[in-house]
Amino acid sequence: MGDQVRLRDVESADLEEFFTQEHDPEAVRRSKFPPREREAFMAHWKTRVLGDPTVFVQAVTVDGELAGNVVAWWDEERRFIGYWLGRRYWGRGIGTRALALFLEREKARPLYADPFVGNTGSVRLLEKHGFRRTETVRYGEHEHIVLVLDKAPV
């Protein structure tokens, strides 16, 4: 476990890598998140993520290399969290460390997440950090688990 995981602010140059990661076929299969076309992706990131002061987003780096991102945003009255790591960073404990670092900085509670029910790695990651299952919801034909983290880390 020599990988050094850090968080930093997202830079415009990061968006190309995020776009590539979103289009990874295995990531799409596991997340059931439909990848956006390039123009829609870039517009979303520039206006709805980086351009929204209520969104908190951090790039995840491993040994100085861009690995993915973690983001928190408001959806009506609920604060949600989401994350995306490039496939070569899966299964190495990087998500665990990145999420722990992010949760130290993101203070809003309760905090929600809604991974696809079949994305067991993501569900386990959230539960490892104290998220608990509250319900299931459907997005189109796919069932997702809603998890909530009620308390800030001690």
Side-chain angles (χ1 to χ4, degrees):
M1 291 249 272
D3 296 320
Q4 186 169 18
V5 178
R6 294 191 186 277
L7 300 181
R8 65 162 170 77
D9 290 340
V10 171
E11 301 165 358
S12 294
D14 298 337
L15 299 185
E16 284 299 327
E17 180 62 21
F18 296 165
F19 177 78
T20 300
Q21 291 172 353
E22 185 173 290
H23 282 259
D24 179 288
E26 182 61 16
V28 171
R29 186 188 72 75
R30 288 184 184 204
S31 68
K32 299 299 184 217
F33 186 85
R36 299 173 183 97
E37 295 298 324
R38 177 178 297 282
E39 188 174 310
F41 177 91
M42 295 299 174
H44 173 81
W45 267 88
K46 289 176 183 174
T47 60
R48 307 242 359 240
V49 180
L50 299 175
D52 183 342
T54 69
V55 171
F56 177 52
V57 61
Q58 294 283 274
V60 177
T61 64
V62 177
D63 296 332
E65 292 184 22
L66 182 62
N69 64 78
V70 186
V71 60
W73 71 95
W74 288 102
D75 184 356
E76 298 180 11
E77 299 298 316
R78 287 183 170 183
R79 183 84 166 162
F80 275 84
I81 187 172
Y83 40 84
W84 203 281
L85 290 176
R87 189 191 314 196
R88 69 186 212 143
Y89 299 100
W90 297 355
R92 295 168 42 189
I94 291 165
T96 298
R97 286 177 274 162
L99 189 54
L101 291 170
F102 189 84
L103 291 173
E104 289 174 5
R105 298 176 185 185
E106 171 58 51
K107 303 297 186 188
R109 302 292 185 271
L111 192 59
Y112 294 85
D114 57 356
F116 170 61
V117 69
N119 191 346
T120 56
S122 188
V123 173
R124 280 195 311 265
L125 172 63
L126 291 160
E127 289 177 332
K128 186 184 296 188
H129 286 285
F131 284 77
R132 63 179 172 76
R133 298 173 191 222
T134 61
E135 63 183 312
T136 58
V137 296
R138 293 196 75 77
Y139 299 125
E141 62 189 51
H142 303 293
E143 186 175 2
H144 291 249
I145 299 171
V146 177
L147 298 104
V148 64
L149 179 64
D150 292 309
K151 296 181 182 174
V154 182

